[in-house]
Amino acid sequence: MIHEQKAVLLVVGLAFLAGASSSSAAAGHLRSTALANQPGSMRLRGGMATMAEQMAEIRAKKAQQYAAVKDEHSSDVLASETKDSSGAQADWMLAQDKVGPESISTKGHSMEIGDARNIYLGQGVTVLRNKRTGMAVEFLHESKGWFYLRPRDGAGPKQISTEGIVFDVHRFYASGVLEQLKNNPLRGNRMKDEPVKAGCWKLVVDGPYIVVSNMEHPTLQIYLCADSVVTINSATNEAVWMDSSAVPRHLTADAAREELN
């Protein structure tokens, strides 16, 4: 009698366990179905042997979706910049820093002990580079009117005095900043409509040009154009026109203004 009761209890227990397992599997199937039916979800196909391949496929699809969103955002930004700017404002990228080891050093040359630029350590510097032509200019903030100009990438830099005299020089003071402007588009900023103060210098957008003036020499104006730089001194009625050819063209201030207009 006792053995018969034990047998009955064993049968009942097994039936209960089988029912619970069936219910759990059904619930799991319902949850999987619900997740698979959610918008944008990706469901794994059956088969444990292909699990790694399926996960790789999912990651690839996610990467494609991210790239599509990124490209759309970049296109919107480019369209906005093109719409909001033109001429020199669209071509010249600006960066401001202080003269020091980081701004002087390039990937090929580090700042050395005894570097002559040590006397300008800590002084502010503003560098602009034309992203189309490679032309660049550099303004030390304490300069009373002279500045550096590089006609194009790879060309030797020039110093242009307030009188319009052009000298060959060895390098920019902030060579590192110039290199960063070339290699990293995020290092610089496009000129906004608001004036930019750079020590003795002030930069403003004036129509298709960026016009740079110096508070110590109010008769001096430097025009950053889409493909050239023009220095005009009203006091001497002289001007220097520089483009990527690196050959200065000397003319009167009146003639330069006529060409600019």
Side-chain angles (χ1 to χ4, degrees):
M1 183 67 177
I2 294 175
H3 292 293
E4 293 177 357
Q5 291 177 348
K6 289 183 176 181
V8 171
L9 290 174
L10 179 59
V11 171
V12 172
L14 290 173
F16 174 79
L17 289 174
S21 176
S22 176
S23 300
S24 177
H29 175 71
L30 289 173
R31 285 195 296 271
S32 299
T33 302
L35 288 172
N37 291 332
Q38 288 183 359
S41 65
M42 284 179 278
R43 183 163 57 94
L44 292 176
R45 298 184 297 275
M48 293 299 294
T50 61
M51 181 72 73
E53 296 177 1
Q54 294 176 47
M55 292 302 297
E57 182 181 346
I58 289 174
R59 286 193 293 268
K61 289 182 178 179
K62 289 291 187 182
Q64 290 176 356
Q65 293 171 0
Y66 171 78
V69 172
K70 182 180 179 181
D71 289 343
E72 182 179 357
H73 175 71
S74 299
S75 299
D76 291 342
V77 171
L78 180 61
S80 175
E81 289 189 353
T82 303
K83 179 181 178 181
D84 294 341
S85 62
S86 60
Q89 190 178 12
D91 294 327
W92 291 87
M93 302 300 290
L94 178 149
Q96 292 186 307
D97 210 321
K98 291 183 181 296
V99 177
E102 291 186 2
S103 62
I104 288 176
S105 300
T106 62
K107 289 184 177 180
H109 298 87
S110 298
M111 182 178 178
E112 299 176 355
I113 297 175
D115 192 308
R117 291 170 289 187
N118 274 312
I119 61 175
Y120 292 100
L121 288 181
Q123 182 178 152
V125 60
T126 295
V127 180
L128 295 97
R129 179 180 181 274
N130 189 310
K131 60 185 180 182
R132 281 193 311 104
T133 67
M135 180 175 283
V137 290
E138 178 187 62
F139 301 99
L140 284 177
H141 289 186
E142 294 181 12
S143 166
K144 302 300 188 289
W146 60 267
F147 67 99
Y148 279 9
L149 179 147
R150 190 188 67 180
R152 61 182 183 278
D153 289 335
K158 312 283 186 182
Q159 178 180 324
I160 301 180
S161 70
T162 54
E163 295 79 18
I165 302 173
V166 181
F167 304 91
D168 289 331
V169 293
H170 182 56
R171 60 201 171 189
F172 270 30
Y173 284 90
S175 301
V177 175
L178 178 57
E179 182 180 73
Q180 294 162 21
L181 278 175
K182 177 183 177 182
N183 298 331
N184 181 11
L186 298 179
R187 178 63 174 87
N189 298 299
R190 182 170 53 85
M191 272 284 298
K192 305 297 184 183
D193 292 335
E194 297 77 15
V196 172
K197 191 74 168 61
C200 294
W201 301 94
K202 184 172 74 171
L203 296 83
V204 298
V205 175
D206 185 4
Y209 310 116
I210 296 172
V211 182
V212 187
S213 58
N214 189 287
M215 60 184 296
E216 296 292 330
H217 285 274
T219 60
L220 177 68
Q221 287 185 313
I222 302 164
Y223 288 78
L224 306 187
C225 312
D227 56 2
S228 58
V229 173
V230 184
T231 304
I232 297 178
N233 192 326
S234 300
T236 60
N237 194 32
E238 294 180 347
V240 180
W241 200 297
M242 291 286 293
D243 58 23
S244 58
S245 69
V247 178
R249 180 162 63 96
H250 295 271
L251 61 168
T252 66
D254 294 335
R257 289 196 182 91
E258 185 175 348
E259 287 193 38
L260 288 171
N261 294 329

